Amino acid sequence: RYSENSTRLIWVVSRWLVLLSQHFERRLKIEPNVDPTHAMIMSLETKCSADPRTTIPSIEEMAKEVNMSPSYFRLNFKKIFFTSPHRHFLLKKLQKSVELLLETDLSLAEIAQQVGFQDPSGISRLFRREFGMTPFEFRSRMHDESPKNRFWLD
């Protein structure tokens, strides 16, 4: 069994994932004829999020796609999603990685490939930065803990 601190850490990570999930599930109701800028950005976000294996486009590429300057695009993206475009798409990849870690027995290399990382070290760095542990430590702790600590999966 894990210590009380480990159990607390797992609870905190679980809560963080709940909030992350809510962030991505939330969609602002935007009428295109009221705010076409937001409608274009939402459409682009949906397109870019469709396949987690794709690389994250640069700000310049996304801005060009919706006919905006990079700074205007970045500003409006942050108004809608409350984070930068790059971080937003990294968190989407992280969310998919967590799902694959918990729902499959895929290797880290296979998971990295499915979420668009060139190699497993990139996904490991992201996990360490966001959760303070490696992907396999995360998987191990979540599988070892009782279901009460994984309430967010229900």
Side-chain angles (χ1 to χ4, degrees), residues 74-114:
R74 186 180 300 110
L75 175 73
N76 280 284
F77 194 98
K78 276 188 149 183
K79 283 182 185 177
I80 296 170
F81 295 103
F82 308 105
T83 189
S84 71
H86 186 75
R87 178 149 175 84
H88 174 79
F89 292 114
L90 268 181
L91 291 176
K92 293 218 56 132
K93 288 178 182 291
L94 181 64
Q95 182 182 25
K96 182 64 176 174
S97 301
V98 166
E99 290 172 17
L100 292 171
L101 276 168
L102 297 178
E103 297 171 3
T104 70
D105 290 326
L106 294 174
S107 70
L108 188 57
E110 292 168 314
I111 291 172
Q113 182 182 19
Q114 288 197 21

Side-chain angles (χ1 to χ4, degrees), residues 16-35:
W16 185 87
L17 287 171
V18 168
L19 295 174
L20 179 65
S21 177
Q22 289 170 350
H23 167 77
F24 289 126
E25 295 303 318
R26 179 181 32 157
R27 294 287 186 225
L28 301 177
K29 295 181 180 176
I30 299 171
E31 297 177 30
N33 55 354
V34 174
D35 193 344

Side-chain angles (χ1 to χ4, degrees), residues 14-145:
S14 298
R15 187 67 191 135
W16 185 87
L17 287 171
V18 168
L19 295 174
L20 179 65
S21 177
Q22 289 170 350
H23 167 77
F24 289 126
E25 295 303 318
R26 179 181 32 157
R27 294 287 186 225
L28 301 177
K29 295 181 180 176
I30 299 171
E31 297 177 30
N33 55 354
V34 174
D35 193 344
T37 300
H38 285 191
M40 288 189 298
I41 291 172
M42 292 291 288
S43 176
L44 177 65
E45 189 277 339
T46 300
K47 178 182 168 188
C48 291
S49 297
D51 185 0
R53 291 175 295 206
T54 59
T55 58
I56 299 172
S58 69
I59 297 288
E60 291 75 17
E61 292 169 328
M62 289 185 278
K64 185 177 180 181
E65 179 129 356
V66 292
N67 297 318
M68 295 178 198
S69 72
S71 59
Y72 187 70
F73 173 79
R74 186 180 300 110
L75 175 73
N76 280 284
F77 194 98
K78 276 188 149 183
K79 283 182 185 177
I80 296 170
F81 295 103
F82 308 105
T83 189
S84 71
H86 186 75
R87 178 149 175 84
H88 174 79
F89 292 114
L90 268 181
L91 291 176
K92 293 218 56 132
K93 288 178 182 291
L94 181 64
Q95 182 182 25
K96 182 64 176 174
S97 301
V98 166
E99 290 172 17
L100 292 171
L101 276 168
L102 297 178
E103 297 171 3
T104 70
D105 290 326
L106 294 174
S107 70
L108 188 57
E110 292 168 314
I111 291 172
Q113 182 182 19
Q114 288 197 21
V115 297
F117 282 91
Q118 298 275 336
D119 61 78
S121 64
I123 200 167
S124 288
R125 278 191 306 274
L126 182 60
F127 257 82
R128 276 192 216 100
R129 186 177 69 221
E130 296 297 330
F131 298 126
M133 64 181 85
T134 67
F136 287 118
E137 288 172 325
F138 179 84
R139 177 188 267 170
S140 174
R141 287 184 182 187
M142 294 309 289
H143 282 270
D144 289 346
E145 290 296 316

